[in-house]
Amino acid sequence: MKYYTKRVLCVLLILALAAALCSCGSASLDYADNGNWAYAGGSDVKDADLFIICPTVDLGDENRFNMSLDDTKTKESFVGALNMELGIYNGSCNVYAPFYRQMTLNGYGSENEEEYINIAYEDVKNAFCYYIENLSGGRPFVLAGFSQGSQLALMLMKDLFDEPEYSEKLIAAYLIGWRVTDSDLSEAPWLKMAEGEGDTGCIISFSSEAENITSSFIVPEGTKTYAINPLNWKTDSTPASASENKGACFTNYSGEIKQEIPGLTGAYIDPERGTLKVTDVSPEEYPPSLSLFGEGEYHVYDYQFFYRNLQENVGLRVKNYIENIEN
């Protein structure tokens, strides 16, 4: 009888473990392990931190919809994609960037998309909570992402940022290359969109496209997103000329600026779609690099077209936040 009872208990334990694994994809990452961080702050000499979430770098295959952290080559691409953006932030912030089991590109539009993105989100949430509790030292932080990184950052803010522990330390959230809708703000009324160039505790978001685009992967037709223009820092459709663009910068995987072009583009916000319409360049000059995006979807250039303006803006918002708490 005792043997039978032990067998039953073992079977129940195995089933419980299997259910837990199915619900989260696999065991959670241990962010006390420095190997699970692409960047973990370094010398922490600045007064503010950056918690940044990498965009999608793994295309996936028919049997894989979340990035494997045993894949050294993909992890190198992961770090490289972060490096392309870090020059905008690292002059003002110490950098924290977790490795995570991001959803692969082929996960978008798949039958189990929600399951795959939730696996990615589990890692990001765990990493962020570990950062707050063990690494931040109470410093204020900038939250940032691009594409899937911004999608996950928005999920994080909807999940956690009604708590002062997080919201009061937020300098600003740069959720670039994703959408923020009325539904998001209704679901999480503590979220606040940026209203100008220097406000803090807010979300800075935009999605770039050519003037003729009426639907995109990021902002499908019939959807309206919130945005701020990174050239004039207005939220209405007031156009900004190319002369207001302080420098488009095209970077490589080491973060090196390979080409800088001041005054490359102007931009204005589409009053119907909320997207950022980019002027003075053509889709032929700047084609999409991924099949997921159509001609005229300037998604991969969101950071690059407005690099110097964003870099300056991060510094301003960090400065304003720190001055406010000191006064």
Side-chain angles (χ1 to χ4, degrees):
M1 186 66 179
K2 289 182 179 179
Y3 175 73
Y4 175 79
T5 302
K6 288 181 179 179
R7 287 191 63 186
V8 170
L9 288 173
C10 286
V11 169
L12 290 174
L13 179 60
I14 291 168
L15 289 173
L17 289 171
L21 291 174
C22 287
S23 67
C24 67
S26 62
S28 299
L29 297 182
D30 178 11
Y31 286 101
D33 180 352
N34 200 55
N36 286 326
W37 292 87
Y39 287 96
S43 57
D44 289 337
V45 296
K46 301 180 179 70
D47 294 328
D49 291 344
L50 169 71
F51 187 92
I52 186 168
I53 307 169
C54 185
T56 311
V57 297
D58 192 338
L59 301 182
D61 58 44
E62 62 182 7
N63 298 311
R64 185 172 50 80
F65 296 90
N66 285 93
M67 174 180 156
S68 168
L69 297 186
D70 294 325
D71 183 344
T72 303
K73 185 175 181 180
T74 304
K75 286 178 76 173
E76 289 174 356
S77 297
F78 188 108
V79 174
L82 287 168
N83 289 343
M84 293 181 74
E85 303 164 11
L86 286 187
I88 288 170
Y89 300 101
N90 61 13
S92 304
C93 305
N94 313 300
V95 180
Y96 292 83
F99 286 114
Y100 71 97
R101 295 168 296 173
Q102 63 176 228
M103 182 171 71
T104 57
L105 191 67
N106 63 332
Y108 284 103
S110 66
E111 181 181 355
N112 296 315
E113 178 179 341
E114 184 176 358
E115 174 189 342
Y116 305 138
I117 199 68
N118 283 338
I119 290 171
Y121 176 65
E122 177 197 1
D123 286 351
V124 167
K125 180 179 178 179
N126 288 342
F128 180 72
C129 291
Y130 184 86
Y131 155 75
I132 290 292
E133 293 168 10
N134 300 280
L135 302 176
S136 74
R139 290 182 297 274
F141 61 88
V142 171
L143 178 65
F146 173 57
S147 196
Q148 181 177 164
S150 292
Q151 179 185 8
L152 294 167
L154 180 60
M155 293 171 68
L156 190 71
M157 295 185 76
K158 290 163 72 173
D159 190 6
L160 297 180
F161 278 61
D162 59 332
E163 297 291 339
E165 176 185 6
Y166 307 112
S167 61
E168 291 180 359
K169 292 293 185 180
L170 176 67
I171 296 171
Y174 288 81
L175 310 189
I176 295 170
W178 196 248
R179 57 187 174 269
V180 183
T181 66
D182 278 329
S183 177
D184 293 317
L185 299 186
S186 176
E187 183 181 340
W190 50 88
L191 300 183
K192 180 180 73 169
M193 301 306 298
E195 296 178 354
E197 66 177 343
D199 46 340
T200 59
C202 57
I203 295 172
I204 296 92
S205 184
F206 59 85
S207 180
S208 307
E209 62 187 26
E211 293 183 275
N212 66 317
I213 296 297
T214 59
S215 183
S216 69
F217 174 76
I218 301 297
V219 186
E221 189 171 8
T223 302
K224 184 173 182 179
T225 185
Y226 282 86
I228 192 165
N229 188 327
L231 296 182
N232 60 17
W233 300 106
K234 295 183 181 295
T235 58
D236 60 20
S237 57
T238 302
S241 68
S243 64
E244 295 173 80
N245 191 323
K246 298 180 179 180
C249 295
F250 300 91
T251 53
N252 61 19
Y253 265 15
S254 70
E256 177 186 5
I257 296 172
K258 301 298 291 183
Q259 184 182 29
E260 181 167 356
I261 310 174
L264 177 64
T265 77
Y268 64 91
I269 294 173
D270 184 327
E272 299 297 323
R273 289 174 46 71
T275 49
L276 188 69
K277 297 296 189 181
V278 179
T279 62
D280 306 293
V281 294
S282 71
E284 292 75 25
E285 293 174 288
Y286 296 95
S289 60
L290 297 170
S291 59
L292 199 63
F293 305 103
E295 185 176 82
E297 294 182 48
Y298 294 135
H299 180 69
V300 296
Y301 306 104
D302 277 331
Y303 269 102
Q304 298 178 70
F305 279 166
F306 310 106
Y307 192 99
R308 292 299 186 195
N309 293 72
L310 287 167
Q311 184 182 59
E312 179 180 84
N313 188 252
V314 172
L316 175 63
R317 293 186 199 269
V318 170
K319 174 176 174 289
N320 287 352
Y321 181 96
I322 290 173
E323 287 181 351
N324 285 339
I325 62 175
E326 289 177 347
N327 293 334

